[in-house]
Amino acid sequence: MNIPKDIIEEMIRQAEKDAPEESCGYLLGTADGDVTENYWMENVDHSSEHFSFAPKDQFSALRYSRSKGLKILANWHSHPASPSRPSQEDLRLANDPTIRYAILSLLDGQPHLNSFKILNGEVVDKEVHL
């Protein structure tokens, strides 16, 4: 998955704004894996340790992506004070094998962004984006 620098910078700004709560959204793009948009969604849990999307926001994102001819390439969220790796909860909740799971860490003021392919609760692939 290719995430342009300006979208990564947008994600960082949003995550910093939402901190200490986790920020979250979808990365939308083309079928060949080029991200073209960050679709931010509210973390309805308002938590620094986990996130949830409102179902109505997920449906809105799906409708929007389809209207633009885009695919949901990744579910992303921030880790305000922990590394860019899936937690046990992240692994348990990663139930869509067709997308990647991106985690933006803000740990120690040094943003790191990795994305993961997760199948059956196990990381099977990792890409480093920042």
Side-chain angles (χ1 to χ4, degrees):
M1 183 171 65
N2 176 39
I3 309 172
K5 184 178 179 181
D6 63 321
I7 291 178
I8 293 174
E9 290 169 353
E10 178 185 330
M11 294 167 68
I12 292 168
R13 284 191 303 274
Q14 188 63 53
E16 289 173 341
K17 178 182 170 192
D18 291 345
E21 295 178 2
E22 289 190 359
S23 193
C24 54
Y26 284 142
L27 295 175
L28 310 178
T30 62
D32 59 358
D34 290 327
V35 174
T36 59
E37 292 188 46
N38 166 34
Y39 192 98
W40 176 84
M41 288 189 279
E42 178 185 4
N43 175 357
V44 296
D45 290 341
H46 298 285
S47 170
S48 62
E49 296 179 357
H50 54 88
F51 74 99
S52 292
F53 300 138
K56 67 178 178 58
D57 293 341
Q58 288 180 282
F59 287 120
S60 293
L62 185 57
R63 278 192 304 275
Y64 174 83
S65 64
R66 287 179 177 167
S67 76
K68 300 286 186 180
L70 301 173
K71 292 182 54 114
I72 295 173
L73 299 177
N75 165 325
W76 80 270
H77 70 281
S78 65
H79 282 182
S82 60
S84 176
R85 64 176 179 246
S87 67
Q88 288 302 314
E89 181 175 316
D90 294 335
L91 293 172
R92 183 175 57 81
L93 296 175
N95 55 18
D96 185 345
T98 67
I99 65 171
R100 298 189 70 81
Y101 293 86
I103 300 174
L104 173 63
S105 171
L106 300 178
L107 184 63
D108 298 327
Q110 297 294 318
H112 293 280
L113 177 63
N114 297 317
S115 71
F116 306 88
K117 189 65 136 176
I118 301 172
L119 299 174
N120 301 316
E122 299 287 329
V123 172
V124 296
D125 180 62
K126 173 184 173 183
E127 292 180 356
V128 177
H129 303 282
L130 174 68

